[in-house]
Amino acid sequence: MRCPSCNSLDTQVKDSRPTEDSAVIRRRRVCMACNFRFTTFERVQLRELTVIKRNSRRVPFDRDKLVRSLQISLRKRPVDPERVEKMVSAIVRELESGGESEVSSEVIGETVMEHLRQLDDVAYVRFASVYRNFREAKDFEAVLGELSSEEESPPPTAPRPLVIRK
Ligand SMILES: [Zn+2]
């Protein structure tokens, strides 16, 4: 593994431990040339995914890009980063096990929204508003309506923060 700081190929693994119920191996590495320390993650990849974009262009699926778009939606939200990691892994696993090596950006967007709404309502609305490219206020209201109809029975995977009202 090349050092991201000085590009030396002489790097060593210092520590290796599984996270996310052993679905991911996290390795701490150190560069022998400049002593820079960095972390790598090893994950199972079931298949190479290609994304078919709206303009019909095909690009390789990029997990980091997905993470970045989620981080924008989750900005300043009280969500444990480890839960976000788990959600990303679940999304990717779902896409990879779909049986197709090509997947449309629509399918990815819908899959992300499905998971995100169970994680955090605000992030879900942010992501959905960008993804669905809301042009009209009523689109936005429709999504908010979808959320409020679920208020009575929050999904068990997303315990709501306990609010104590006086
Ligand atoms: Zn280095």
Side-chain angles (χ1 to χ4, degrees), residues 3 6 31 34:
C3 169
C6 74
C31 173
C34 74

PDB file of all heavy atoms in Angstrom, residues 3 6 31 34, ligand 1:
ATOM      1  N   CYS A   3       2.158   4.991   0.449  1.00  0.00           N
ATOM      2  CA  CYS A   3       1.953   6.034   1.459  1.00  0.00           C
ATOM      3  C   CYS A   3       1.263   7.241   0.815  1.00  0.00           C
ATOM      4  O   CYS A   3       1.750   7.778  -0.179  1.00  0.00           O
ATOM      5  CB  CYS A   3       3.295   6.465   2.049  1.00  0.00           C
ATOM      6  SG  CYS A   3       3.179   7.950   3.065  1.00  0.00           S
ATOM      7  N   CYS A   6       3.925  10.484   1.165  1.00  0.00           N
ATOM      8  CA  CYS A   6       5.174  10.639   0.402  1.00  0.00           C
ATOM      9  C   CYS A   6       5.264   9.689  -0.793  1.00  0.00           C
ATOM     10  O   CYS A   6       6.260   9.681  -1.513  1.00  0.00           O
ATOM     11  CB  CYS A   6       6.378  10.428   1.316  1.00  0.00           C
ATOM     12  SG  CYS A   6       6.657   8.697   1.758  1.00  0.00           S
ATOM     13  N   CYS A  31       4.104   4.453   7.398  1.00  0.00           N
ATOM     14  CA  CYS A  31       5.073   4.542   6.312  1.00  0.00           C
ATOM     15  C   CYS A  31       6.475   4.464   6.903  1.00  0.00           C
ATOM     16  O   CYS A  31       6.817   5.205   7.825  1.00  0.00           O
ATOM     17  CB  CYS A  31       4.881   5.857   5.566  1.00  0.00           C
ATOM     18  SG  CYS A  31       6.157   6.143   4.325  1.00  0.00           S
ATOM     19  N   CYS A  34       8.469   7.980   5.842  1.00  0.00           N
ATOM     20  CA  CYS A  34       8.206   9.294   6.449  1.00  0.00           C
ATOM     21  C   CYS A  34       7.443   9.192   7.764  1.00  0.00           C
ATOM     22  O   CYS A  34       7.099  10.202   8.363  1.00  0.00           O
ATOM     23  CB  CYS A  34       7.439  10.194   5.474  1.00  0.00           C
ATOM     24  SG  CYS A  34       5.708   9.738   5.284  1.00  0.00           S
TER      25      CYS A  34
HETATM   26 ZN    ZN B   1       5.475   8.174   3.586  1.00  0.00          ZN
END
